[in-house]
Amino acid sequence: MIPAAFDYIAPQSLDEAVRALAAHGEDAKLLAGGHSLLPLLKLRLANPKLLIDLSRIPGLSGISQQDDKIAIGALATHYQIESSKLLETKCPLLPQTARSIGDVQVRNRGTIGGSLTHADPSADWPAAILALGGELKLSGTKGERRIAAEEFFLGAMTTAIEPTEILTEIRVPALVRRCGSAYLKMAQQASGFAIVGVAVWLRVDTKGRCEDVGVGVTGLSEKPFRAQVVEQRLRGHKLTPKLIEEGASQVAEGSDPMEDLHASAKFRAHLARVYTGRAIQEAAKRASGRAR
Ligand SMILES: Cc1cc2nc3c(=O)[nH]c(=O)nc-3n(C[C@H](O)[C@H](O)[C@H](O)COP(=O)(O)OP(=O)(O)OC[C@H]3O[C@@H](n4cnc5c(N)ncnc54)[C@H](O)[C@@H]3O)c2cc1C
């Protein structure tokens, strides 16, 4: 349980970190909260020669509103998000999700950027960021680029980030009137990771019809995904129990449910249906409470 020897640097600026990453390529690993990376080092599943600690770089952990978006620094911890008053009023799906992650220690150290780039198929953040139609900002030697969350996740532990890029920011829409959201999961009891987790954000119109909706699913298959088939079923309609049940029953369509010691593929698909239905109901209830 002792990692192989490695060098360590703590750059003071993003430029310095980008240059160090480019110079060392595959031999280097970025360090954020360390809660996913350090276990890999201890198990010797990763053996980087250099760790580049991002924690001393100023400006990478803020949470602020910029016009109709909220920008969250990649180094923001789960706890920062859980306790952000701005997010609680403008994008409550994120604190709702953060609260469900691991335990107090994990939420104090783990970062949203580390979780998204690590891309564990049972991680909670991908569901919420997909449901919200979030966008990720990546910085590398060629400059900055933005990528939609839907294009970011490619599979288990695999994303569209280049080995020489750093995730610096996540942007989500600021949502207020007639919006509601919920994140529900069946948690693996030892770690809290999602056996299946479903994030729902929706907005209703003045007549109570579903004007817009996002449904993000994690834990069901190797790649977290946006359940567009469910969204299409709900958009434009009143969210009756029958419609919600019909929509939820389609959530696993086209997915390839995982099978492991925690749950069979069939049970995972069942959980996805149940949690999708419940999350839509909960989000719809909250949306009607924010009608003014
Ligand atoms: C006991 C335990 C329980 C947990 N329970 C849950 C849970 O219930 N739900 C859940 O979702 N997660 C859970 N986690 C995972 C936890 O949320 C991690 O903190 C998270 O997955 C990784 O974030 P980190 O900041 O610790 O990243 P690190 O471990 O520092 O890094 C993870 C990976 O991402 C890369 N990386 C980090 N930051 C960046 C960046 N800005 N740009 C590019 N690459 C980067 C690193 O190089 C590394 O490959 C748990 C972890 C533990 C140890």
Side-chain angles (χ1 to χ4, degrees):
M1 295 301 273
I2 297 173
F6 53 80
D7 288 329
Y8 168 93
I9 57 168
Q12 306 289 319
S13 72
L14 184 60
D15 269 2
E16 205 186 316
V18 165
R19 281 199 305 274
L21 190 57
H24 293 86
E26 304 262 307
D27 286 339
K29 270 274 175 204
L30 299 169
L31 175 68
H35 271 210
S36 292
L37 182 57
L38 291 189
L40 290 182
L41 299 188
K42 289 183 171 185
L43 293 167
R44 307 225 175 177
L45 294 171
N47 294 300
K49 295 201 170 70
L50 174 69
L51 282 195
I52 303 172
D53 186 348
L54 298 174
S55 65
R56 312 283 162 80
I57 302 174
L60 281 189
S61 61
I63 301 174
S64 61
Q65 183 160 2
Q66 291 168 18
D67 301 322
D68 59 347
K69 302 273 186 226
I70 300 190
I72 301 146
L75 268 277
T77 61
H78 311 320
Y79 175 70
Q80 262 180 280
I81 295 171
E82 177 186 356
S83 57
S84 159
K85 290 204 164 54
L86 176 67
L87 289 173
E88 196 58 56
T89 49
K90 299 286 174 71
C91 194
L93 180 57
L94 296 183
Q96 286 157 4
T97 305
R99 274 194 280 278
S100 82
I101 296 177
D103 51 28
V104 175
Q105 289 95 326
V106 172
R107 294 199 292 279
N108 269 332
R109 297 273 332 162
T111 66
I112 185 169
S115 174
L116 292 171
T117 44
H118 188 64
D120 188 300
S122 298
D124 296 296
W125 283 126
I129 302 302
L130 283 163
L132 290 164
E135 189 183 70
L136 284 72
K137 188 160 108 184
L138 308 172
S139 291
T141 45
K142 293 183 196 143
E144 277 178 7
R145 68 178 174 119
R146 290 178 188 275
I147 181 166
E150 272 183 272
E151 289 160 30
F152 185 72
F153 301 104
L154 302 179
M157 313 287 189
T158 317
T159 70
I161 196 167
E162 297 289 336
T164 53
E165 285 178 321
I166 299 175
L167 171 62
T168 53
E169 187 181 278
I170 299 100
R171 273 181 184 240
V172 293
L175 310 160
V176 193
R177 288 187 73 199
R178 301 193 304 271
C179 287
S181 59
Y183 179 67
L184 297 180
K185 70 173 172 182
M186 170 167 268
Q188 200 266 319
Q189 290 301 302
S191 68
F193 273 106
I195 293 174
V196 168
V198 180
V200 171
W201 157 82
L202 57 82
R203 186 173 58 237
V204 292
D205 67 14
T206 48
K207 296 200 168 99
R209 285 179 302 230
C210 175
E211 206 169 57
D212 203 0
V213 57
V215 180
V217 183
T218 189
L220 177 61
S221 46
E222 289 203 342
K223 178 178 143 167
F225 64 94
R226 195 166 164 169
Q228 286 177 352
V229 60
V230 182
E231 297 173 6
Q232 278 159 17
R233 189 73 193 85
L234 303 183
R235 237 176 243 127
H237 299 286
K238 263 209 143 77
L239 294 169
T240 61
K242 183 167 177 286
L243 182 80
I244 293 173
E245 178 54 37
E246 279 169 17
S249 69
Q250 293 178 288
V251 68
E253 269 177 29
S255 70
D256 185 10
M258 292 189 290
E259 179 123 17
D260 59 19
L261 77 167
H262 302 303
S264 67
K266 197 172 160 202
F267 185 49
R268 274 199 161 83
H270 168 76
L271 289 176
R273 181 176 67 72
V274 172
Y275 282 95
T276 301
R278 286 191 195 161
I280 297 168
Q281 262 170 10
E282 190 68 40
K285 203 164 84 191
R286 288 177 175 153
S288 59
R290 296 179 98 182
R292 288 169 303 278

